[in-house]
Amino acid sequence: SLLDWTKMANWPIATTPILMTEKATALLLSVSFRTLQSWRQTDRGPPYLKIGRAIRYEREALLAWIELQRELP
């Protein structure tokens, strides 16, 4: 079913996911845009959303993925 966009105006901003572009995500991770694309194609990178032809990364999921990459001594 389609969302009722009139009700979305009442959503609290804190619960609205922040979606980041590929370029912004690459910058945050300090990797190249091409590296991020390669990770996505080989299922090695952070979780992503495909909205039409656009690739987006949800900020909270990205931060959680970063924490999972931490190597402990």
Side-chain angles (χ1 to χ4, degrees), residues 22 40 48-57:
E22 289 178 276
R40 192 172 59 250
Y48 65 93
L49 302 166
K50 189 166 185 179
I51 303 171
R53 292 175 37 197
I55 301 296
R56 296 293 181 263
Y57 293 85

Side-chain angles (χ1 to χ4, degrees), residues 1-55:
S1 70
L2 294 176
L3 291 174
D4 182 349
W5 294 104
T6 59
K7 292 180 182 174
M8 286 185 68
N10 296 324
W11 283 6
I13 227 40
T15 61
T16 302
I18 297 172
L19 300 179
M20 297 174 59
T21 65
E22 289 178 276
K23 289 182 181 180
T25 300
L27 184 64
L28 176 71
L29 295 175
S30 299
V31 299
S32 73
F33 177 77
R34 296 287 184 207
T35 295
L36 190 58
Q37 288 180 327
S38 175
W39 286 353
R40 192 172 59 250
Q41 292 168 353
T42 57
D43 294 324
R44 296 184 338 199
Y48 65 93
L49 302 166
K50 189 166 185 179
I51 303 171
R53 292 175 37 197
I55 301 296

